Amino acid sequence: MHIAHVLALCTLVSVDTAAGAQEIDWKKVAGRRSSRRRPHAGDGRSRAGRTPRWYVACLLALAAVSFATDRPLAQAPEPLLLQLEGKIPLGDVSGRIDHMAIDLPRRRLFVAELGNDSVAVVDIDERKVQHVITGLKQPQGLGYVPSNDTLFVANAGDGSVRLFRGADYAESGSIDLGEDADNIRVDAASNRVFVGYGRGGLAEIDPATNGKVLDLPLPAHPEGFQLARSVRRIFVNLPKARMIAVIDRFAGKQVASWPVDNESFFPMALDEQFGRILVAFRNPARLGVFSMQDGSNIATFDACGDSDDLFVDAKRHRIYQSCGDGHLDVFEVDGDAYRRSAHIQTISGGRTALFVPEIDRLFVAARGNPGEPAAIWIFRPTP
């Protein structure tokens, strides 16, 4: 009902009830004594302190309609920027879960179950575990190479990179890197695979031969690293050396080192549209923004804690950060301004994730907790 309708009804009621309408004695309602003087019934005056009931009813109706009109605007909840779409249980999985990769043609997600020495193969359409690769040694990094339909698995336990055919996941080879094989990045354009390992090395592998073609020495163990498409460089986080290393892929060597006054930075993402390097710090929990040109610090701001993955949503100009303290952070980017627009609760230990822009989904690996088994949480960005 609109306010105009209420006014019309009040007019009709006032005409019908003007003579002999019951009245409300406000003094009695307030607990006070009514006036001693009682005017004569026909003196033309209303009784002191009294108001017709129809008038009060109309005022209350007007107030109710006005409140109902304004209420949806004032109390409408803001939509979550990441909507939880579902959870895929991983079964009897305990301990730490590390990184993920995806086979887009088959729509299968690979999950490194480090604590179980296994990799889960998840059908994201049927939302169930389709296969489990066992017998690994603390798997950490994963990379799927479409050119030869092969899954690459980096093992921290023995320093190997083991290869599995995409059709049936039978083992098809192994590359020995020495120790602590960690993150994997696949460059589909050049058909190359890069693996961080050891006390300071980046291995370049040719999937056509499944052999190592180049070793890039580094001053410390590489953590998060990214391949830049626009400048053909590799940016590498080296926490122990307190620096970001810059590698020229054409020259095959490190060409710059940018100092970082912290040694707890692990995940990295690139925003090539704006020429930015994004780095997450764990202690204190911060997100740093650096220039891809010279490594200068553009911004640093508070973020969720114990982060292990960062992603850029180029379509929406957002940053997604997954954290082991049980949260997902969403940052909005507007030029040099960064604003945390969402701090979404997940689960303790859920610090690794994978954003797949081709299907517009963010997958979060939630390790098993009391009362909450290990699972992959699926988030859909909105709008």
Side-chain angles (χ1 to χ4, degrees):
M1 181 178 287
H2 297 292
I3 293 177
H5 297 158
V6 177
L7 287 171
L9 287 173
C10 286
T11 302
L12 292 173
V13 172
S14 67
V15 172
D16 292 339
T17 60
Q22 288 186 324
E23 299 164 339
I24 297 174
D25 190 337
W26 290 108
K27 290 183 178 181
K28 287 185 178 181
V29 172
R32 295 178 293 172
R33 293 183 179 180
S34 60
S35 173
R36 293 179 182 179
R37 181 178 178 272
R38 296 180 62 84
H40 295 293
D43 64 0
R45 291 176 291 171
S46 63
R47 297 177 183 177
R50 296 191 179 186
T51 307
R53 288 183 183 274
W54 64 263
Y55 183 73
V56 175
C58 284
L59 288 178
L60 291 174
L62 282 170
V65 171
S66 177
F67 177 73
T69 301
D70 294 339
R71 189 176 183 184
L73 296 176
Q75 296 190 355
E78 292 186 4
L80 287 175
L81 299 182
L82 288 172
Q83 298 277 0
L84 180 60
E85 197 173 64
K87 300 179 183 180
I88 304 175
L90 293 176
D92 187 18
V93 175
S94 60
R96 179 179 157 196
I97 298 175
D98 218 337
H99 299 290
M100 292 179 277
I102 193 162
D103 174 356
L104 277 172
R106 294 189 180 91
R107 295 178 66 84
R108 291 175 183 173
L109 184 73
F110 305 109
V111 184
E113 300 168 336
L114 185 147
N116 269 29
D117 291 330
S118 59
V119 168
V121 182
V122 177
D123 187 315
I124 59 177
D125 288 331
E126 295 187 10
R127 297 195 176 184
K128 66 178 183 180
V129 176
Q130 192 236 17
H131 183 76
V132 178
I133 301 171
T134 60
L136 302 169
K137 301 291 184 181
Q138 299 177 20
Q140 296 189 117
L142 300 173
Y144 174 73
V145 181
S147 63
N148 65 350
D149 195 16
T150 300
L151 173 68
F152 286 64
V153 181
N155 293 269
D158 60 7
S160 70
V161 177
R162 293 170 64 178
L163 283 57
F164 298 88
R165 289 197 303 267
D168 56 8
Y169 308 109
E171 188 164 1
S172 59
S174 180
I175 303 166
D176 184 19
L177 296 182
E179 61 176 320
D180 197 12
D182 199 346
N183 285 290
I184 294 180
R185 298 289 179 264
V186 177
D187 184 2
S190 65
N191 199 33
R192 287 289 187 268
V193 177
F194 294 85
V195 185
Y197 73 98
R199 298 183 182 181
L202 206 61
E204 182 176 344
I205 298 170
D206 182 359
T209 62
N210 290 333
K212 183 170 63 173
V213 296
L214 185 65
D215 251 328
L216 301 169
L218 295 167
H221 177 76
E223 291 292 344
F225 69 93
Q226 296 294 339
L227 315 176
R229 297 180 179 88
S230 57
V231 294
R232 300 284 293 174
R233 290 190 169 187
I234 306 174
F235 298 94
V236 189
N237 280 343
L238 302 175
K240 294 298 182 183
R242 290 178 172 248
M243 70 169 67
I244 296 173
V246 183
I247 295 173
D248 186 322
R249 290 180 58 181
F250 289 112
K253 64 179 181 180
Q254 182 177 336
V255 295
S257 58
W258 298 331
V260 179
D261 189 21
N262 195 300
E263 56 179 43
S264 69
F265 58 105
F266 295 86
M268 173 193 283
L270 298 182
D271 187 346
E272 295 198 58
Q273 182 179 358
F274 295 104
R276 309 279 169 78
I277 302 172
L278 308 169
V279 173
F281 299 91
R282 291 182 183 171
N283 188 24
R286 308 275 280 171
L287 186 60
V289 183
F290 300 88
S291 167
M292 286 178 59
Q293 302 301 316
D294 57 12
S296 58
N297 182 245
I298 295 171
T300 304
F301 39 89
D302 292 337
C304 53
D306 191 26
S307 175
D308 209 34
D309 272 313
L310 276 173
F311 304 95
V312 173
D313 184 344
K315 182 173 76 173
R316 299 177 179 86
H317 302 295
R318 291 179 188 165
I319 300 165
Y320 304 132
Q321 180 177 359
S322 58
C323 293
D325 68 359
H327 291 92
L328 278 173
D329 273 354
V330 180
F331 297 91
E332 305 279 356
V333 183
D334 184 10
D336 288 342
Y338 291 78
R339 178 178 65 90
R340 181 161 64 179
S341 52
H343 185 62
I344 301 167
Q345 186 171 357
T346 55
I347 192 168
S348 177
R351 67 182 190 175
T352 55
L354 180 67
F355 178 58
V356 186
E358 292 87 351
I359 59 174
D360 210 23
R361 293 296 184 273
L362 177 70
F363 300 96
V364 175
R367 63 186 297 177
N369 282 268
E372 182 80 32
I376 300 299
W377 294 23
I378 307 171
F379 289 88
R380 176 175 54 86
T382 60

